[in-house]
């Protein structure tokens, strides 16, 4: 079996999985950031509604 | 409901992908000319096929947004483009590695590869420009026009290896010409299905984030007006 072929096959699949995993991590971190921001804004709106100027 | 669908898609993807990877790496024989490296086709081509499916969905939903002005269409469009762009990157990188092994070069400026790179850059431009527009309706409208414009590259990518007088470094369509062995067809189809299921789950997650982002925009406006 040609080792060079196998090495490049390994590089190819590794690259594909690294890209997909990095994308999933970005998606998860953005989701967490959005959830935090949404909770913060909702509490701010509730505060302003309860204590109007 | 959405969460259940995401979990279901992920489980289905795993059920399709794991036995398929076993078939690809342990059961299928090496290809006569290329040896083991040909197995890259089971990720390289499914990534490209699914990217084109998702870009087509984004074209349809962009047109629907322009007609109906419903933000659901915009959120589906941006989600499909984000996942599709990631798939085109997978396609370009795996193709480059395959090319280095088989042709001795990382890249050739032929019609197929250049049009695919253009496709990646066009949709990347869409994703980079979109957050710069603050007003939601304006952002969605402009995004829809850019998505329709970017899609013009897809027929070029598809036709690049089918045009009669164009010579490309990239091989011709192996499925249509029958140069792919019959025993490779099932794992190839299952590879396309597995990538489709995973990416549909990712699109559902991304679409939910887009909806939440619009809620954030509206809460910010509400806070400014109080």
């Amino acid at each position: 079996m040609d080792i060079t072929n196998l090495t490049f096959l390994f590089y190819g699949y590794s690259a594909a999985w690294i890209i997909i995993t990095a994308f999933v991590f970005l998606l998860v971190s953005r989701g967490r950031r959005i959830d935090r921001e949404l909770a913060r804004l909702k509490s701010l709106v509730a505060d302003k509604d309860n204590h109007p100027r | 409901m959405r969460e259940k669908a995401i979990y279901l898609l992920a489980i289905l993807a795993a059920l399709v992908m794991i036995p398929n990877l076993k078939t690809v790496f342990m059961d299928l024989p090496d290809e006569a000319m290329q040896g083991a490296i040909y197995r890259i086709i089971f990720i390289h081509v499914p990534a490209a096929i699914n990217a084109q499916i998702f870009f087509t969905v984004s074209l349809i939903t962009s047109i629907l947004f322009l007609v109906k002005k419903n933000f659901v269409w915009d959120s589906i469009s941006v989600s499909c483009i984000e996942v599709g762009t990631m798939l085109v990157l997978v396609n370009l990188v795996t193709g480059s590695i395959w090319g280095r092994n088989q042709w001795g070069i990382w890249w050739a400026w032929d019609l197929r590869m250049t049009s695919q790179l253009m496709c990646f850059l066009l949709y990347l431009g869409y994703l980079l420009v979109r957050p710069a527009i603050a007003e939601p309706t304006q952002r969605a409208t402009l995004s829809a026009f850019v998505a329709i414009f970017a899609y013009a590259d897809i027929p070029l990518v598809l036709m690049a290896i089918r045009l009669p007088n164009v010579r490309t470094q990239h091989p011709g369509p192996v499925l249509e010409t029958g140069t792919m062995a019959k025993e490779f067809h099932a794992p190839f189809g299952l590879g396309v299905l597995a990538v489709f299921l995973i990416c549909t789950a990712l699109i559902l997650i991304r679409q939910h984030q887009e909806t939440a982002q619009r809620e954030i925009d509206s809460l910010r406006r509400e806070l400014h007006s109080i």
Side-chain angles (χ1 to χ4, degrees):
Chain A
M1 188 172 278
D2 187 349
I3 294 299
T4 315
N5 255 356
L6 280 180
T7 309
F8 275 88
L9 182 64
F10 170 75
Y11 291 158
Y13 270 87
S14 302
W17 282 107
I18 287 168
I19 292 167
I20 294 167
T21 310
F23 182 80
V24 171
F25 271 110
L26 280 175
L27 208 61
V28 170
S29 70
R30 181 164 47 194
R32 284 192 184 140
R33 199 186 65 231
I34 286 173
D35 287 346
R36 271 201 307 272
E37 182 68 1
L38 198 58
R40 188 182 73 83
L41 287 171
K42 276 180 179 169
S43 75
L44 271 176
V45 170
D47 279 354
K48 290 222 173 184
D49 285 343
N50 291 334
H51 309 288
R53 269 185 266 178
Chain B
M1 179 63 189
R2 180 190 296 269
E3 269 190 28
K4 276 184 188 166
I6 291 167
Y7 283 124
L8 184 68
L9 285 165
I11 291 166
L12 278 176
L15 288 176
V16 173
M17 194 171 59
I18 293 166
N20 197 46
L21 283 175
K22 191 246 172 200
T23 308
V24 167
F25 285 100
M26 301 180 81
D27 299 344
L28 288 183
D30 284 355
E31 206 261 345
M33 302 292 286
Q34 297 193 19
I37 190 74
Y38 85 95
R39 287 179 176 86
I40 249 180
I41 201 171
F42 298 108
I43 185 80
H44 173 73
V45 183
I49 290 174
N50 279 289
Q52 282 160 5
I53 290 171
F54 295 133
F55 290 146
T56 306
V57 174
S58 86
L59 172 76
I60 295 164
T61 49
S62 295
I63 293 168
L64 282 171
F65 173 78
L66 291 176
V67 174
K68 297 188 184 291
K69 296 290 176 198
N70 185 338
F71 280 96
V72 172
W73 300 121
D74 173 62
S75 65
I76 297 173
S77 179
V78 66
S79 310
C80 285
I81 287 178
E82 205 167 292
V83 172
T85 308
M86 181 270 291
L87 289 174
V88 172
L89 182 63
V90 168
N91 174 256
L92 286 171
V93 172
T94 53
S96 181
I97 291 167
W98 196 359
R100 177 67 183 81
N101 182 262
Q102 287 300 303
W103 308 328
I105 48 170
W106 291 103
W107 187 261
W109 291 102
D110 73 358
L111 186 58
R112 177 56 167 252
M113 285 143 82
T114 309
S115 58
Q116 185 72 326
L117 179 66
M118 261 171 61
C119 173
F120 175 70
L121 295 175
L122 281 167
Y123 283 108
L124 186 68
Y126 168 102
L127 294 171
L128 293 176
V129 167
R130 188 180 157 91
I133 306 161
E135 208 284 309
T137 311
Q138 207 177 4
R139 178 173 59 213
T141 307
L142 191 72
S143 298
F145 280 117
V146 175
I148 293 165
F149 169 74
Y151 193 83
D153 185 60
I154 301 294
L156 187 63
V157 176
L158 289 170
M159 292 307 295
I161 51 171
R162 293 173 177 85
L163 292 171
N165 296 322
V166 176
R167 286 185 65 202
T168 61
Q169 182 77 27
H170 192 283
V174 288
L175 281 172
E176 293 162 34
T177 51
T179 45
M180 186 192 249
K182 285 272 183 288
E183 59 193 311
F184 297 164
H185 285 197
F188 180 84
L190 289 172
V192 174
L193 179 65
V195 174
F196 179 79
L197 292 170
I198 295 170
C199 290
T200 307
L202 294 177
I203 286 169
L204 286 178
I205 296 170
R206 179 67 186 88
Q207 197 210 345
H208 176 63
Q209 290 178 358
E210 195 60 25
T211 312
Q213 184 61 53
R214 260 204 323 282
E215 200 180 340
I216 287 173
D217 291 344
S218 115
L219 283 171
R220 279 186 182 144
R221 279 198 301 278
E222 195 180 324
L223 273 170
H224 279 295
S225 65
I226 291 174

